Amino acid sequence: MAKAIMVQGTMSNAGKSLIAAALCRIFRQDGYRVAPFKSQNMALNSFITKEGLEMGRAQVVQAQAAGVEPSVSMNPILLKPTGDSVSQVIVNGEVLGNFSAQEYFAMKQSLVPEIRKAYRRLAEDADIIVIEGAGSPAEINLKDHDIVNMGMARLAGAPVLLAGDIDRGGVFAQLYGTVMLLDEEERPYIKGLIINKFRGDRSILTPGLKQLEGLTGKPVFGVIPYLKIDIDDEDSLSERLTGTEGLTQGSLARTVPEQADPLMPEYVRHQSLVEIDVIRLPRLSNFTDFSQLARIPGVCLRYVGSIREFGQPDIVILPGTKSTVADLLWLRESGLEVLIKKAAAQGRAVIGICGGYQMLGETLRDPDGVETGEGGLPQLVRGIGLLPVDTIFLPEKTRTQVRGEILSPAKGFDALKGRRIEGYEIHMGRSVIREGSGAEPFARLHAQTGGYSREKEDGCTAGTVCGTYVHGIFDADDLAWRLAESAVEKKGLRLTERAVLSQEAYRERQYDLLAASVRQNLDMEAVYRMLEEGV
């Protein structure tokens, strides 16, 4: 059976996921078979496996770092919030149902056998399992029946590294308080402490590190610097959602064509060529769909959550959401719906992904209360009306990996026609184009779920507006580049630079950079001793 090591944190977003990913890559580099594991994850960013099962993206990232195929055994329980106190509970990749926080707390012990079985499946084939905790192990109101922090450490017999986030302040209090709030029988599981996201001169920390070790009786294994690594984040705490993405500084250039209006101001270096506004919906899901766009030199990608932030984008994207109806009503109340319709009327491209695609249609119906059963939302809602599409929500969730080609790109983006796409669908609904509307399906797809496959049409295109159910659509081939290139050409300009590495090569390089930095700043000899000695 595999040896286990666990990464816990003093709080959410302390860096557990990335440290776990780094360890997965380091152990793989050192010749071991590695698998990531998180018994319970809460996130709206999810992924569909080849078997058509749903899991959290953090464990997908860690599996990629480990060089193994993502499996739901790596994340047997996934919670997807649908409101402030209700979540969809997914067990072994299948939807169990929607439960309130109190209902789930009462039932979660019954899920321990599923956690055990998933862990054992991984342990049969791996040399090392890197386990990630959730939130903090010192949430004293949640410690009873814990299945993801110390409860999981006990189940796996895993020694624990405890990480604190110095960037948010109070890291010594974080680490000391967490250790002291643990029960006497839990503290021995903590074998080492990590200071994460440090900026500055490490020598200044030395007196504090020694005092912390004296107070807690736990050695500090490392001080990991604040890393500029481009690896997909998982949840709404991501810094990507609070500002502008894209390489708007450095080796960017705009080129004025020879026949340009002589009064046109000369474009200078360090300016963006393409501006993309992604609407930051309250229940935004799978925002990693747009990571590849933000990596293109010349692209400025913003997450927009209010009318004040909405600029003059070349492209507007309505992303996926866990609660389409609620977020559509928010969009209407916030005033952003008016700006999106205005952008479309001006001939700007508007793209909807999954729930965003559903919003762009004429109507959304929910006769079974799939989405609107909680919170008293209306079962029939008017859509934004930019696509002649009607959507009906269905109880059964569509979960499948897909590949195919674009049939009808948005007007002005003809270079995308026939381009290969691939990704995955996660949605509870079916959208139908109105007969006689003149609109065209966006793509033709080959859907593969387990041993079953079929051909189907997807999405809708009408003028400069299009929508699709496919997540990850911009990751395949050079679709993101072609989209940006077409947007630039509409201005009579051209992109002058292109990424040299493929997406896969770029991703692998980022994992290697992450591993190199963590290896340099973490006492790996002590980590390996942890593995050998256990608890």
Side-chain angles (χ1 to χ4, degrees):
M1 297 292 283
K3 295 182 181 298
I5 186 170
M6 188 169 192
V7 181
Q8 296 184 13
T10 57
M11 64 178 75
S12 295
N13 207 37
K16 298 183 293 293
S17 295
L18 276 186
I19 293 173
L23 290 175
C24 284
R25 177 50 63 106
I26 290 170
F27 293 142
R28 177 196 177 192
Q29 290 172 339
D30 292 350
Y32 294 98
R33 297 173 300 167
V34 191
F37 185 82
K38 186 167 184 174
S39 58
Q40 172 195 288
N41 199 350
M42 177 177 280
L44 290 178
N45 248 14
S46 60
F47 176 81
I48 299 299
T49 68
K50 288 182 177 180
E51 298 80 16
L53 301 173
E54 191 171 1
M55 63 181 290
R57 283 197 66 94
Q59 281 61 63
V60 174
V61 166
Q62 292 159 7
Q64 291 170 346
V68 295
E69 185 71 26
S71 163
V72 291
S73 293
M74 299 169 182
N75 175 213
I77 302 173
L78 175 62
L79 308 179
K80 301 186 76 172
T82 61
D84 291 339
S85 60
V86 177
S87 291
Q88 184 181 76
V89 178
I90 297 166
V91 179
N92 291 322
E94 303 271 7
V95 175
L96 186 64
N98 289 349
F99 298 90
S100 69
Q102 190 173 21
E103 288 170 336
Y104 177 70
F105 189 79
M107 68 177 284
K108 67 179 182 177
Q109 277 299 303
S110 67
L111 300 177
V112 170
E114 299 300 328
I115 295 172
R116 290 181 186 273
K117 284 188 285 187
Y119 182 84
R120 286 171 180 167
R121 284 194 293 269
L122 294 179
E124 288 173 357
D125 296 323
D127 299 317
I128 300 173
I129 296 182
V130 179
I131 307 171
E132 181 188 344
S136 165
E139 300 289 351
I140 55 179
N141 58 314
L142 300 176
K143 284 171 64 67
D144 289 346
H145 310 303
D146 169 59
I147 61 173
V148 67
N149 286 307
M150 283 302 172
M152 186 62 221
R154 283 194 295 268
L155 189 151
V160 175
L161 288 170
L162 179 64
D165 180 359
I166 195 171
D167 192 55
R168 292 159 81 176
V171 72
F172 295 111
Q174 292 174 36
L175 291 164
Y176 176 78
T178 299
V179 172
M180 290 301 107
L181 283 172
L182 294 177
D183 297 337
E184 289 292 338
E185 61 272 19
E186 293 174 333
R187 289 178 194 160
Y189 282 85
I190 304 288
K191 299 299 181 182
L193 309 178
I194 297 174
I195 307 285
N196 197 26
K197 306 182 189 178
F198 178 69
R199 310 174 197 239
D201 185 348
R202 177 174 170 169
S203 65
I204 298 174
L205 277 181
T206 302
L209 299 181
K210 291 181 178 178
Q211 189 171 359
L212 179 65
E213 290 178 335
L215 289 168
T216 62
K218 309 292 180 183
V220 176
F221 276 17
V223 177
I224 298 175
Y226 197 101
L227 302 177
K228 301 286 187 180
I229 304 292
D230 188 8
I231 293 174
D232 283 345
D233 298 311
E234 180 181 49
D235 56 32
S236 59
L237 292 176
S238 171
E239 294 179 0
R240 297 176 190 269
L241 302 180
T242 58
T244 298
E245 275 199 275
L247 306 178
T248 55
Q249 296 183 11
S251 56
L252 307 183
R254 278 178 156 177
T255 303
V256 180
E258 292 180 1
Q259 284 83 27
D261 184 337
L263 297 179
M264 179 187 293
E266 179 158 355
Y267 291 108
V268 296
R269 295 172 68 83
H270 315 317
Q271 288 187 314
S272 61
L273 290 155
V274 183
E275 295 188 5
I276 301 175
D277 279 3
V278 179
I279 306 301
R280 186 178 179 179
L281 301 168
R283 298 161 187 84
L284 167 66
S285 67
N286 290 73
F287 64 86
T288 49
D289 285 345
F290 317 113
S291 297
Q292 192 69 359
L293 282 169
R295 290 166 184 154
I296 298 173
V299 169
C300 172
L301 188 145
R302 296 184 297 263
Y303 289 92
V304 174
S306 70
I307 58 174
R308 295 186 303 276
E309 297 169 344
F310 198 93
Q312 292 292 321
D314 301 292
I315 300 171
V316 179
I317 298 179
L318 267 171
T321 166
K322 186 65 189 71
S323 301
T324 305
V325 172
D327 280 0
L328 173 58
L329 296 176
W330 169 85
L331 197 70
R332 190 158 288 153
E333 293 168 0
S334 70
L336 283 167
E337 179 188 30
V338 173
L339 296 182
I340 293 168
K341 295 175 77 169
K342 182 178 178 181
Q346 293 170 342
R348 302 175 189 271
V350 179
I351 302 172
I353 307 291
C354 196
Y357 164 44
Q358 295 172 335
M359 291 182 192
L360 288 172
E362 297 287 351
T363 62
L364 296 88
R365 289 191 298 124
D366 188 15
D368 297 318
V370 173
E371 277 223 355
T372 60
E374 308 287 343
L377 296 170
Q379 292 185 333
L380 176 61
V381 181
R382 171 178 55 86
I384 296 173
L386 293 178
L387 290 175
V389 168
D390 296 296
T391 295
I392 182 171
F393 292 103
L394 303 170
E396 184 176 351
K397 178 182 283 193
T398 298
R399 307 183 314 266
T400 182
Q401 290 192 356
V402 296
R403 60 183 60 195
E405 64 176 357
I406 295 177
L407 297 176
S408 303
K411 184 179 179 180
F413 293 85
D414 295 339
L416 274 60
K417 187 171 184 177
R419 288 283 166 183
R420 181 179 67 91
I421 59 174
E422 61 181 75
Y424 50 96
E425 293 183 50
I426 319 172
H427 58 91
M428 302 182 80
R430 178 167 53 88
S431 300
V432 178
I433 299 174
R434 291 185 172 181
E435 291 187 16
S437 65
E440 300 286 340
F442 174 75
R444 180 184 295 112
L445 301 178
H446 174 80
Q448 181 76 39
T449 305
Y452 176 75
S453 63
R454 65 186 179 96
E455 299 286 333
K456 64 176 183 177
E457 292 179 338
D458 165 73
C460 177
T461 300
T464 61
V465 182
C466 63
T468 175
Y469 272 118
V470 182
H471 289 289
I473 189 171
F474 298 117
D475 293 346
D477 200 13
D478 59 352
L479 189 66
W481 167 267
R482 294 296 180 190
L483 180 72
E485 184 179 52
S486 295
V488 170
E489 288 176 350
K490 287 176 70 175
K491 300 178 177 181
L493 307 174
R494 65 182 177 88
L495 289 175
T496 59
E497 295 189 28
R498 184 169 183 169
V500 176
L501 297 176
S502 68
Q503 189 216 4
E504 183 177 356
Y506 178 85
R507 183 179 65 202
E508 289 296 303
R509 181 181 176 186
Q510 296 303 307
Y511 291 143
D512 286 339
L513 290 171
L514 171 66
S517 183
V518 171
R519 192 190 287 269
Q520 181 180 356
N521 293 282
L522 185 64
D523 187 345
M524 286 306 301
E525 289 186 6
V527 170
Y528 274 113
R529 282 198 302 272
M530 282 177 59
L531 278 169
E532 290 300 322
E533 296 171 1
V535 179

